Amino acid sequence: MNSQEIFNIAQILDIATLEKREIERITLKYPQLELSQAYAIQESGIQLRIERGDRPIGFKMGLTSLAKREQMNLDSSIYGVLTQKMKITGSDFSLSHSIHPRIEPEIAFFIQQDIQGSVTPERVLDACSGVCGALEIIDSRFLHFKYFSLPDVIADNCSSSYFLLSKTIKKPRDFDLSNLEMSLEVNGSVVQSALSKEISQNPVNSVVQLCSMLAERGAFLAAGSIVLAGAATQAIPLEKGSAYTLKVQNLGAVSLRITPD
Ligand code: OOG
Ligand code: MG
């Protein structure tokens, strides 16, 4: 696959996002698509966003829990890029820019020193100024949010769409990061719950893994980055007019109300 083809696929995915149009998965036309080519498509897509005035602010890890791997029928961790325009700042959210959005409970890390290559969890905790709960809204550009393979979802920036961070931020060594109760409520009723160890045995391990995956592509985790460690439970579809709350033990709550329009 040459650089023109990589750019063309990135552009098809970018237009699908902008026009809220579902498309066939890429591997239907390119069954041999490799993971490295998929990451190249992802990077090319981020470049298109940058040209529209957006800015990368971190990364998200995906498929780091068994619940997510089983839900998506995919079996290894992946990463995508988070940008400024994906960050939700208020507590109301309209689905007007979404295709078939889902929401999932996550833990986010604030990284304050560059970290590179093969690192220990302790090194990640040294470089981390804070952790918080986060709601991620994922939205696939592929038909029915189904049947795609790892290269497809990587090319599609790992279904990234939006995310919301909790206002409560704590130092990562203030408590055991692997044993936090997490629950996702819809209109006040718990619909998903798990311990944070569901995320890579400990969410910090997602950041360790991200560093080595970035190193494989000649990249690193820069100071100032936000990292989502991956969902602890399955994602659930977003409904207009409903309210979604993530509660994380020691880390408070974060809520999002979907506008009825
Ligand atoms: C891929 C994105 C996975 C997570 O937290 O596991 C992800 C998908 O589910 O479409 O964000
Ligand atoms: Mg996620």
Side-chain angles (χ1 to χ4, degrees), residues 60-63 68 104 106 136 138 158 228 230-231:
K60 59 165 276 182
M61 286 294 283
L63 309 178
K68 280 292 303 191
E104 49 187 31
E106 305 236 0
E136 185 183 21
I138 51 172
C158 301
L228 295 182

Side-chain angles (χ1 to χ4, degrees), residues 32 98-99 117 129 149 190 237 239 244:
Q32 311 300 337
S98 300
I99 304 170
S129 59
S149 63
V190 175
E239 313 273 358
Y244 298 82

Side-chain angles (χ1 to χ4, degrees), residues 118-213:
S118 169
V119 292
T120 61
E122 288 308 310
R123 172 72 188 102
V124 170
L125 294 179
D126 287 343
C128 174
S129 59
V131 291
C132 70
L135 286 168
E136 185 183 21
I137 297 176
I138 51 172
D139 195 11
S140 178
R141 270 50 73 171
F142 300 124
L143 281 170
H144 317 304
F145 214 138
K146 262 192 190 160
Y147 308 127
F148 48 73
S149 63
L150 276 179
D152 291 309
V153 67
I154 291 165
D156 189 26
N157 197 23
C158 301
S159 310
S160 301
S161 148
Y162 294 96
F163 66 97
L164 175 64
L165 301 177
S166 156
K167 289 197 170 57
T168 308
I169 300 172
K170 296 260 180 81
K171 294 256 186 281
R173 286 197 171 96
D174 282 358
F175 41 81
D176 179 2
L177 261 181
S178 72
N179 221 11
L180 305 174
E181 280 166 22
M182 301 173 69
S183 64
L184 180 59
E185 296 180 3
V186 183
N187 302 322
S189 304
V190 175
V191 294
Q192 294 286 340
S193 59
L195 286 175
S196 55
K197 61 165 66 89
E198 291 300 322
I199 307 165
S200 302
Q201 278 82 58
N202 181 328
V204 73
N205 294 331
S206 294
V207 187
V208 169
Q209 193 177 14
L210 173 64
C211 288
S212 57
M213 291 171 88

